[in-house]
Amino acid sequence: MPEHETDGREFSVDADWDALFIDGEWREVPDRDRMDVENPATRELFTQVPAGTAADVDDAYEAAVDAQEDWANTTPDERARVVRTAAQLLDDYEEEICELLAVESGGAPSRQAIEHGGAVTFVHDAASFAFRMSGRHNQSKIPGKENIVRREPKGVVGVISPWNVPLKLSIRAVAPAIATGNSVVLKPAGETPVTGGLVIAKLFEAAGLPDGVLNVVTGPGSTAGDRTAAHPDSDVIAFTGSTEVGRLVGQNAIDHFALPALELGGNNPHVVLEDADLDQAVDAGVFGSFWNQGQVCISINRHLVHESLYDEYAERLAERAAELPIGDPRDDDTVIGPIINESQRDEIIDYVERTVEEGATLETGGGHDGLFVEPTVLTGVTNDMAAACNEHFGPVAPIIPFSTDEEAVELANATEYGLAGSVHSADRGRARDVADQIEVGMMHVNDQTVNVEPHVPFGGKKDSGMGRYNGDWILQEFTEDSWTSIQREPRSYPF
Ligand code: NAD
């Protein structure tokens, strides 16, 4: 049972979100600037949160350091209980939390369901980590000595998260960190301070987490984010966001020997070989390009299609894209919600316009109304055009032709990123041969690129990041081995 009774109102859109969560207290900071949080669909003010400062981050780290040892010394049973309770509350208040995802981040119903459901599963899975921190007993080359290797929490985990799938991408780091006996300082994205941060604080508070184990500081990346990454008391910096910011964050972490766990950008290819089942390849292409308006690190960014299927694939993809319902994410029928803000929208439109200027053909889309960008399909695209060589992070499907499997591999790999990919072929062996040559951390045969499961490794190669999330992989990153030897008999030394 949760320690604090809740009827769910505290998770609602109308709740008060104007406070930081430090050392178990909701700290109102009237002297601080506020950050407006806008509903991207209506452009109305949803709420305001404190613009946390470097000093607030310092307070959060102080609380996290003070709380960590006692938390690490609780039984695995107790840590698992708290994390399981948080998962149960997340499940219980699905309706409230999904509405928040719609209002704060423009998540359409399919994203709300996948994000919320995925988050519940991740937190449940993380609860098991408390019992999975196994050490080992090693023999020794010294007579009478015993070697014991213990698996311990790293200490304090700083988490910095993005706005695109905010609840899931924050909680996938927070829950495993807590379950393994670490304490946490969480800095959510400025666009999504509630679903990426304050809601998570409320869930764990209601689940009975001791004061100081989780601290949430809302605020700008350049101040609160920078201090979170640079703070000397952090032992791991779990960052999800752009490669550009990730590079800075990683350097800051390394400066004080914190482990950087970096999940960064992508430019993910969807490869359709000449013997592919076209229906399946198009279905996968529609979902992989347009789910969450393409604002996903593992979205399909480029469709690489064999020249023999090219025209038909493009025609079908464009037809399907043009039919996708655009609207308020709170409407059940909506598939395409708004882009998060104007600068993201402008960048997407700019990529599309430049790609057309460079010689591509706009098959459908290209327009926008407020922050709603039409699903867009471009043909006659080459790998060096703007929408293909950049991570466009929008509902844009550039289609690039190829003539041999070797050329498909070459095109797929011609990017600095290496996050996710997919390959379609009726011959699974052939698809596997192509898939194995594409340099990505996550590859899917006869599917699309947007796949996440709690127990398999998530992460990228090349400039898409360092380390792996989920399951045993995040368990390793958030814990470390320490060696204790016990000399059971008097030892003879050479002098
Ligand atoms: P972003 O890099 O702009 O911001 C991410 C976070 O970093 C935010 O909380 C931001 O406030 C903070 N930040 C900004 N400047 C900072 C600084 N100087 N120091 C410390 N923190 C700072 O990314 P975004 O626009 O929020 O998200 C989109 C990007 O995230 C895309 O590139 C996308 O591919 C990537 N992403 C990657 C994954 C993954 O798992 N690989 C998942 C989702 C998103």
PDB file of all heavy atoms in Angstrom, residues 432-463:
ATOM      1  N   ARG A 432      18.700 -10.639 -43.116  1.00  0.00           N
ATOM      2  CA  ARG A 432      19.637 -10.695 -41.987  1.00  0.00           C
ATOM      3  C   ARG A 432      21.049 -10.308 -42.442  1.00  0.00           C
ATOM      4  O   ARG A 432      21.776  -9.592 -41.745  1.00  0.00           O
ATOM      5  CB  ARG A 432      19.600 -12.111 -41.407  1.00  0.00           C
ATOM      6  CG  ARG A 432      20.487 -12.371 -40.250  1.00  0.00           C
ATOM      7  CD  ARG A 432      19.917 -11.823 -38.953  1.00  0.00           C
ATOM      8  NE  ARG A 432      20.991 -11.595 -37.993  1.00  0.00           N
ATOM      9  CZ  ARG A 432      21.408 -12.518 -37.130  1.00  0.00           C
ATOM     10  NH1 ARG A 432      20.820 -13.674 -37.062  1.00  0.00           N
ATOM     11  NH2 ARG A 432      22.405 -12.245 -36.307  1.00  0.00           N
ATOM     12  N   ASP A 433      21.435 -10.781 -43.666  1.00  0.00           N
ATOM     13  CA  ASP A 433      22.761 -10.421 -44.197  1.00  0.00           C
ATOM     14  C   ASP A 433      22.889  -8.919 -44.343  1.00  0.00           C
ATOM     15  O   ASP A 433      23.916  -8.326 -44.003  1.00  0.00           O
ATOM     16  CB  ASP A 433      22.979 -11.060 -45.574  1.00  0.00           C
ATOM     17  CG  ASP A 433      23.311 -12.532 -45.455  1.00  0.00           C
ATOM     18  OD1 ASP A 433      23.608 -12.975 -44.324  1.00  0.00           O
ATOM     19  OD2 ASP A 433      23.248 -13.240 -46.486  1.00  0.00           O
ATOM     20  N   VAL A 434      21.848  -8.289 -44.878  1.00  0.00           N
ATOM     21  CA  VAL A 434      21.891  -6.828 -45.042  1.00  0.00           C
ATOM     22  C   VAL A 434      21.878  -6.167 -43.669  1.00  0.00           C
ATOM     23  O   VAL A 434      22.679  -5.264 -43.374  1.00  0.00           O
ATOM     24  CB  VAL A 434      20.691  -6.357 -45.908  1.00  0.00           C
ATOM     25  CG1 VAL A 434      20.562  -4.837 -45.897  1.00  0.00           C
ATOM     26  CG2 VAL A 434      20.852  -6.863 -47.349  1.00  0.00           C
ATOM     27  N   ALA A 435      20.969  -6.643 -42.800  1.00  0.00           N
ATOM     28  CA  ALA A 435      20.827  -6.039 -41.469  1.00  0.00           C
ATOM     29  C   ALA A 435      22.158  -6.055 -40.713  1.00  0.00           C
ATOM     30  O   ALA A 435      22.542  -5.072 -40.076  1.00  0.00           O
ATOM     31  CB  ALA A 435      19.763  -6.791 -40.677  1.00  0.00           C
ATOM     32  N   ASP A 436      22.880  -7.172 -40.814  1.00  0.00           N
ATOM     33  CA  ASP A 436      24.133  -7.316 -40.065  1.00  0.00           C
ATOM     34  C   ASP A 436      25.207  -6.323 -40.513  1.00  0.00           C
ATOM     35  O   ASP A 436      26.157  -6.051 -39.779  1.00  0.00           O
ATOM     36  CB  ASP A 436      24.687  -8.740 -40.205  1.00  0.00           C
ATOM     37  CG  ASP A 436      23.892  -9.741 -39.375  1.00  0.00           C
ATOM     38  OD1 ASP A 436      23.056  -9.295 -38.560  1.00  0.00           O
ATOM     39  OD2 ASP A 436      24.096 -10.957 -39.560  1.00  0.00           O
ATOM     40  N   GLN A 437      25.065  -5.815 -41.728  1.00  0.00           N
ATOM     41  CA  GLN A 437      26.094  -4.875 -42.228  1.00  0.00           C
ATOM     42  C   GLN A 437      25.755  -3.413 -41.919  1.00  0.00           C
ATOM     43  O   GLN A 437      26.539  -2.523 -42.205  1.00  0.00           O
ATOM     44  CB  GLN A 437      26.232  -5.027 -43.736  1.00  0.00           C
ATOM     45  CG  GLN A 437      26.742  -6.402 -44.157  1.00  0.00           C
ATOM     46  CD  GLN A 437      26.714  -6.529 -45.659  1.00  0.00           C
ATOM     47  OE1 GLN A 437      27.477  -5.864 -46.356  1.00  0.00           O
ATOM     48  NE2 GLN A 437      25.829  -7.351 -46.176  1.00  0.00           N
ATOM     49  N   ILE A 438      24.579  -3.184 -41.393  1.00  0.00           N
ATOM     50  CA  ILE A 438      24.189  -1.794 -41.087  1.00  0.00           C
ATOM     51  C   ILE A 438      24.595  -1.487 -39.649  1.00  0.00           C
ATOM     52  O   ILE A 438      24.260  -2.235 -38.726  1.00  0.00           O
ATOM     53  CB  ILE A 438      22.674  -1.583 -41.337  1.00  0.00           C
ATOM     54  CG1 ILE A 438      22.376  -1.853 -42.821  1.00  0.00           C
ATOM     55  CG2 ILE A 438      22.264  -0.162 -40.955  1.00  0.00           C
ATOM     56  CD1 ILE A 438      20.923  -1.742 -43.216  1.00  0.00           C
ATOM     57  N   GLU A 439      25.349  -0.395 -39.505  1.00  0.00           N
ATOM     58  CA  GLU A 439      25.982  -0.115 -38.208  1.00  0.00           C
ATOM     59  C   GLU A 439      25.014   0.611 -37.286  1.00  0.00           C
ATOM     60  O   GLU A 439      25.019   1.842 -37.206  1.00  0.00           O
ATOM     61  CB  GLU A 439      27.230   0.751 -38.430  1.00  0.00           C
ATOM     62  CG  GLU A 439      28.298   0.070 -39.240  1.00  0.00           C
ATOM     63  CD  GLU A 439      29.256   1.085 -39.875  1.00  0.00           C
ATOM     64  OE1 GLU A 439      29.321   2.243 -39.417  1.00  0.00           O
ATOM     65  OE2 GLU A 439      29.902   0.711 -40.848  1.00  0.00           O
ATOM     66  N   VAL A 440      24.172  -0.162 -36.608  1.00  0.00           N
ATOM     67  CA  VAL A 440      23.230   0.416 -35.648  1.00  0.00           C
ATOM     68  C   VAL A 440      23.187  -0.461 -34.395  1.00  0.00           C
ATOM     69  O   VAL A 440      23.537  -1.640 -34.445  1.00  0.00           O
ATOM     70  CB  VAL A 440      21.794   0.530 -36.229  1.00  0.00           C
ATOM     71  CG1 VAL A 440      21.724   1.574 -37.324  1.00  0.00           C
ATOM     72  CG2 VAL A 440      21.286  -0.819 -36.730  1.00  0.00           C
ATOM     73  N   GLY A 441      22.733   0.140 -33.308  1.00  0.00           N
ATOM     74  CA  GLY A 441      22.609  -0.622 -32.065  1.00  0.00           C
ATOM     75  C   GLY A 441      21.361  -1.491 -32.030  1.00  0.00           C
ATOM     76  O   GLY A 441      21.292  -2.456 -31.273  1.00  0.00           O
ATOM     77  N   MET A 442      20.347  -1.128 -32.851  1.00  0.00           N
ATOM     78  CA  MET A 442      19.062  -1.852 -32.807  1.00  0.00           C
ATOM     79  C   MET A 442      18.542  -2.042 -34.227  1.00  0.00           C
ATOM     80  O   MET A 442      18.343  -1.072 -34.949  1.00  0.00           O
ATOM     81  CB  MET A 442      18.061  -1.049 -31.980  1.00  0.00           C
ATOM     82  CG  MET A 442      18.523  -0.874 -30.538  1.00  0.00           C
ATOM     83  SD  MET A 442      17.530   0.286 -29.592  1.00  0.00           S
ATOM     84  CE  MET A 442      18.112   1.855 -30.199  1.00  0.00           C
ATOM     85  N   MET A 443      18.337  -3.296 -34.617  1.00  0.00           N
ATOM     86  CA  MET A 443      17.964  -3.600 -36.002  1.00  0.00           C
ATOM     87  C   MET A 443      16.756  -4.533 -36.012  1.00  0.00           C
ATOM     88  O   MET A 443      16.689  -5.468 -35.227  1.00  0.00           O
ATOM     89  CB  MET A 443      19.172  -4.267 -36.683  1.00  0.00           C
ATOM     90  CG  MET A 443      18.916  -4.772 -38.059  1.00  0.00           C
ATOM     91  SD  MET A 443      18.168  -3.560 -39.161  1.00  0.00           S
ATOM     92  CE  MET A 443      19.577  -2.589 -39.673  1.00  0.00           C
ATOM     93  N   HIS A 444      15.812  -4.266 -36.891  1.00  0.00           N
ATOM     94  CA  HIS A 444      14.564  -5.045 -36.905  1.00  0.00           C
ATOM     95  C   HIS A 444      14.272  -5.560 -38.315  1.00  0.00           C
ATOM     96  O   HIS A 444      14.178  -4.767 -39.254  1.00  0.00           O
ATOM     97  CB  HIS A 444      13.423  -4.182 -36.386  1.00  0.00           C
ATOM     98  CG  HIS A 444      13.750  -3.569 -35.049  1.00  0.00           C
ATOM     99  ND1 HIS A 444      13.765  -4.308 -33.888  1.00  0.00           N
ATOM    100  CD2 HIS A 444      14.151  -2.319 -34.706  1.00  0.00           C
ATOM    101  CE1 HIS A 444      14.132  -3.532 -32.888  1.00  0.00           C
ATOM    102  NE2 HIS A 444      14.378  -2.327 -33.355  1.00  0.00           N
ATOM    103  N   VAL A 445      14.149  -6.868 -38.450  1.00  0.00           N
ATOM    104  CA  VAL A 445      13.880  -7.488 -39.747  1.00  0.00           C
ATOM    105  C   VAL A 445      12.366  -7.617 -39.928  1.00  0.00           C
ATOM    106  O   VAL A 445      11.656  -8.098 -39.033  1.00  0.00           O
ATOM    107  CB  VAL A 445      14.582  -8.860 -39.831  1.00  0.00           C
ATOM    108  CG1 VAL A 445      14.082  -9.651 -41.042  1.00  0.00           C
ATOM    109  CG2 VAL A 445      16.093  -8.660 -39.910  1.00  0.00           C
ATOM    110  N   ASN A 446      11.885  -7.165 -41.092  1.00  0.00           N
ATOM    111  CA  ASN A 446      10.454  -7.186 -41.432  1.00  0.00           C
ATOM    112  C   ASN A 446       9.590  -6.474 -40.388  1.00  0.00           C
ATOM    113  O   ASN A 446       8.497  -6.925 -40.031  1.00  0.00           O
ATOM    114  CB  ASN A 446       9.973  -8.624 -41.668  1.00  0.00           C
ATOM    115  CG  ASN A 446      10.573  -9.180 -42.955  1.00  0.00           C
ATOM    116  OD1 ASN A 446      11.030  -8.415 -43.817  1.00  0.00           O
ATOM    117  ND2 ASN A 446      10.586 -10.490 -43.088  1.00  0.00           N
ATOM    118  N   ASP A 447      10.102  -5.374 -39.911  1.00  0.00           N
ATOM    119  CA  ASP A 447       9.357  -4.510 -38.979  1.00  0.00           C
ATOM    120  C   ASP A 447       9.836  -3.087 -39.267  1.00  0.00           C
ATOM    121  O   ASP A 447      10.460  -2.834 -40.314  1.00  0.00           O
ATOM    122  CB  ASP A 447       9.648  -4.949 -37.537  1.00  0.00           C
ATOM    123  CG  ASP A 447       8.685  -4.315 -36.526  1.00  0.00           C
ATOM    124  OD1 ASP A 447       7.760  -3.590 -36.935  1.00  0.00           O
ATOM    125  OD2 ASP A 447       8.887  -4.536 -35.325  1.00  0.00           O
ATOM    126  N   GLN A 448       9.542  -2.183 -38.342  1.00  0.00           N
ATOM    127  CA  GLN A 448      10.048  -0.811 -38.476  1.00  0.00           C
ATOM    128  C   GLN A 448      10.941  -0.514 -37.271  1.00  0.00           C
ATOM    129  O   GLN A 448      11.182  -1.397 -36.442  1.00  0.00           O
ATOM    130  CB  GLN A 448       8.896   0.176 -38.648  1.00  0.00           C
ATOM    131  CG  GLN A 448       7.704  -0.047 -37.735  1.00  0.00           C
ATOM    132  CD  GLN A 448       7.984   0.325 -36.312  1.00  0.00           C
ATOM    133  OE1 GLN A 448       8.459   1.418 -36.076  1.00  0.00           O
ATOM    134  NE2 GLN A 448       7.700  -0.562 -35.363  1.00  0.00           N
ATOM    135  N   THR A 449      11.410   0.717 -37.179  1.00  0.00           N
ATOM    136  CA  THR A 449      12.491   1.014 -36.235  1.00  0.00           C
ATOM    137  C   THR A 449      12.035   1.312 -34.808  1.00  0.00           C
ATOM    138  O   THR A 449      12.850   1.283 -33.893  1.00  0.00           O
ATOM    139  CB  THR A 449      13.279   2.229 -36.755  1.00  0.00           C
ATOM    140  OG1 THR A 449      12.344   3.281 -37.064  1.00  0.00           O
ATOM    141  CG2 THR A 449      14.084   1.895 -37.992  1.00  0.00           C
ATOM    142  N   VAL A 450      10.737   1.641 -34.625  1.00  0.00           N
ATOM    143  CA  VAL A 450      10.294   2.080 -33.289  1.00  0.00           C
ATOM    144  C   VAL A 450       9.918   0.856 -32.450  1.00  0.00           C
ATOM    145  O   VAL A 450       8.781   0.396 -32.455  1.00  0.00           O
ATOM    146  CB  VAL A 450       9.100   3.067 -33.386  1.00  0.00           C
ATOM    147  CG1 VAL A 450       8.743   3.606 -32.003  1.00  0.00           C
ATOM    148  CG2 VAL A 450       9.434   4.210 -34.332  1.00  0.00           C
ATOM    149  N   ASN A 451      10.901   0.315 -31.760  1.00  0.00           N
ATOM    150  CA  ASN A 451      10.708  -0.846 -30.891  1.00  0.00           C
ATOM    151  C   ASN A 451      11.501  -0.633 -29.611  1.00  0.00           C
ATOM    152  O   ASN A 451      12.670  -0.234 -29.668  1.00  0.00           O
ATOM    153  CB  ASN A 451      11.275  -2.110 -31.558  1.00  0.00           C
ATOM    154  CG  ASN A 451      10.327  -2.702 -32.572  1.00  0.00           C
ATOM    155  OD1 ASN A 451       9.317  -3.286 -32.210  1.00  0.00           O
ATOM    156  ND2 ASN A 451      10.638  -2.529 -33.841  1.00  0.00           N
ATOM    157  N   VAL A 452      10.870  -0.891 -28.492  1.00  0.00           N
ATOM    158  CA  VAL A 452      11.554  -0.818 -27.197  1.00  0.00           C
ATOM    159  C   VAL A 452      10.991  -1.939 -26.340  1.00  0.00           C
ATOM    160  O   VAL A 452       9.781  -2.113 -26.282  1.00  0.00           O
ATOM    161  CB  VAL A 452      11.263   0.523 -26.478  1.00  0.00           C
ATOM    162  CG1 VAL A 452      12.034   0.594 -25.160  1.00  0.00           C
ATOM    163  CG2 VAL A 452      11.598   1.723 -27.343  1.00  0.00           C
ATOM    164  N   GLU A 453      11.866  -2.695 -25.688  1.00  0.00           N
ATOM    165  CA  GLU A 453      11.389  -3.696 -24.736  1.00  0.00           C
ATOM    166  C   GLU A 453      12.242  -3.586 -23.484  1.00  0.00           C
ATOM    167  O   GLU A 453      13.439  -3.307 -23.577  1.00  0.00           O
ATOM    168  CB  GLU A 453      11.485  -5.102 -25.341  1.00  0.00           C
ATOM    169  CG  GLU A 453      10.635  -5.234 -26.598  1.00  0.00           C
ATOM    170  CD  GLU A 453      10.323  -6.664 -26.965  1.00  0.00           C
ATOM    171  OE1 GLU A 453      10.154  -7.492 -26.056  1.00  0.00           O
ATOM    172  OE2 GLU A 453      10.257  -6.939 -28.172  1.00  0.00           O
ATOM    173  N   PRO A 454      11.625  -3.814 -22.319  1.00  0.00           N
ATOM    174  CA  PRO A 454      12.353  -3.512 -21.075  1.00  0.00           C
ATOM    175  C   PRO A 454      13.568  -4.392 -20.830  1.00  0.00           C
ATOM    176  O   PRO A 454      14.467  -3.991 -20.104  1.00  0.00           O
ATOM    177  CB  PRO A 454      11.298  -3.741 -19.976  1.00  0.00           C
ATOM    178  CG  PRO A 454      10.243  -4.565 -20.593  1.00  0.00           C
ATOM    179  CD  PRO A 454      10.254  -4.268 -22.066  1.00  0.00           C
ATOM    180  N   HIS A 455      13.614  -5.595 -21.431  1.00  0.00           N
ATOM    181  CA  HIS A 455      14.650  -6.562 -21.069  1.00  0.00           C
ATOM    182  C   HIS A 455      15.690  -6.757 -22.172  1.00  0.00           C
ATOM    183  O   HIS A 455      16.471  -7.693 -22.106  1.00  0.00           O
ATOM    184  CB  HIS A 455      13.990  -7.899 -20.744  1.00  0.00           C
ATOM    185  CG  HIS A 455      13.200  -8.439 -21.897  1.00  0.00           C
ATOM    186  ND1 HIS A 455      12.160  -7.739 -22.461  1.00  0.00           N
ATOM    187  CD2 HIS A 455      13.326  -9.570 -22.619  1.00  0.00           C
ATOM    188  CE1 HIS A 455      11.668  -8.438 -23.470  1.00  0.00           C
ATOM    189  NE2 HIS A 455      12.367  -9.548 -23.598  1.00  0.00           N
ATOM    190  N   VAL A 456      15.662  -5.924 -23.231  1.00  0.00           N
ATOM    191  CA  VAL A 456      16.687  -6.053 -24.280  1.00  0.00           C
ATOM    192  C   VAL A 456      17.427  -4.717 -24.397  1.00  0.00           C
ATOM    193  O   VAL A 456      16.878  -3.668 -24.075  1.00  0.00           O
ATOM    194  CB  VAL A 456      16.073  -6.471 -25.642  1.00  0.00           C
ATOM    195  CG1 VAL A 456      15.607  -7.901 -25.602  1.00  0.00           C
ATOM    196  CG2 VAL A 456      14.941  -5.556 -26.052  1.00  0.00           C
ATOM    197  N   PRO A 457      18.691  -4.752 -24.860  1.00  0.00           N
ATOM    198  CA  PRO A 457      19.508  -3.535 -24.781  1.00  0.00           C
ATOM    199  C   PRO A 457      19.064  -2.453 -25.743  1.00  0.00           C
ATOM    200  O   PRO A 457      18.832  -2.722 -26.919  1.00  0.00           O
ATOM    201  CB  PRO A 457      20.915  -4.029 -25.129  1.00  0.00           C
ATOM    202  CG  PRO A 457      20.721  -5.287 -25.895  1.00  0.00           C
ATOM    203  CD  PRO A 457      19.456  -5.900 -25.392  1.00  0.00           C
ATOM    204  N   PHE A 458      18.984  -1.229 -25.230  1.00  0.00           N
ATOM    205  CA  PHE A 458      18.582  -0.082 -26.029  1.00  0.00           C
ATOM    206  C   PHE A 458      19.751   0.882 -26.084  1.00  0.00           C
ATOM    207  O   PHE A 458      20.248   1.331 -25.053  1.00  0.00           O
ATOM    208  CB  PHE A 458      17.373   0.607 -25.379  1.00  0.00           C
ATOM    209  CG  PHE A 458      16.793   1.728 -26.218  1.00  0.00           C
ATOM    210  CD1 PHE A 458      15.646   1.519 -26.964  1.00  0.00           C
ATOM    211  CD2 PHE A 458      17.409   2.973 -26.276  1.00  0.00           C
ATOM    212  CE1 PHE A 458      15.117   2.543 -27.754  1.00  0.00           C
ATOM    213  CE2 PHE A 458      16.895   3.995 -27.060  1.00  0.00           C
ATOM    214  CZ  PHE A 458      15.743   3.781 -27.799  1.00  0.00           C
ATOM    215  N   GLY A 459      20.195   1.222 -27.312  1.00  0.00           N
ATOM    216  CA  GLY A 459      21.271   2.193 -27.418  1.00  0.00           C
ATOM    217  C   GLY A 459      21.863   2.191 -28.806  1.00  0.00           C
ATOM    218  O   GLY A 459      21.516   1.352 -29.639  1.00  0.00           O
ATOM    219  N   GLY A 460      22.745   3.169 -29.034  1.00  0.00           N
ATOM    220  CA  GLY A 460      23.243   3.345 -30.387  1.00  0.00           C
ATOM    221  C   GLY A 460      24.747   3.212 -30.518  1.00  0.00           C
ATOM    222  O   GLY A 460      25.491   3.240 -29.534  1.00  0.00           O
ATOM    223  N   LYS A 461      25.183   3.042 -31.793  1.00  0.00           N
ATOM    224  CA  LYS A 461      26.603   3.062 -32.137  1.00  0.00           C
ATOM    225  C   LYS A 461      26.944   4.451 -32.664  1.00  0.00           C
ATOM    226  O   LYS A 461      26.087   5.319 -32.782  1.00  0.00           O
ATOM    227  CB  LYS A 461      26.900   2.020 -33.203  1.00  0.00           C
ATOM    228  CG  LYS A 461      26.631   0.591 -32.735  1.00  0.00           C
ATOM    229  CD  LYS A 461      26.985  -0.412 -33.820  1.00  0.00           C
ATOM    230  CE  LYS A 461      26.748  -1.832 -33.326  1.00  0.00           C
ATOM    231  NZ  LYS A 461      26.901  -2.832 -34.399  1.00  0.00           N
ATOM    232  N   LYS A 462      28.197   4.649 -33.030  1.00  0.00           N
ATOM    233  CA  LYS A 462      28.680   5.908 -33.626  1.00  0.00           C
ATOM    234  C   LYS A 462      28.234   7.107 -32.774  1.00  0.00           C
ATOM    235  O   LYS A 462      28.310   7.053 -31.538  1.00  0.00           O
ATOM    236  CB  LYS A 462      28.216   5.979 -35.087  1.00  0.00           C
ATOM    237  CG  LYS A 462      28.869   4.885 -35.953  1.00  0.00           C
ATOM    238  CD  LYS A 462      28.089   4.541 -37.200  1.00  0.00           C
ATOM    239  CE  LYS A 462      28.181   5.570 -38.280  1.00  0.00           C
ATOM    240  NZ  LYS A 462      27.439   5.123 -39.495  1.00  0.00           N
ATOM    241  N   ASP A 463      27.714   8.179 -33.409  1.00  0.00           N
ATOM    242  CA  ASP A 463      27.384   9.370 -32.626  1.00  0.00           C
ATOM    243  C   ASP A 463      26.008   9.283 -31.964  1.00  0.00           C
ATOM    244  O   ASP A 463      25.467  10.291 -31.514  1.00  0.00           O
ATOM    245  CB  ASP A 463      27.400  10.618 -33.527  1.00  0.00           C
ATOM    246  CG  ASP A 463      28.809  10.986 -33.955  1.00  0.00           C
ATOM    247  OD1 ASP A 463      29.744  10.231 -33.623  1.00  0.00           O
ATOM    248  OD2 ASP A 463      28.973  12.015 -34.632  1.00  0.00           O
TER     249      ASP A 463
END
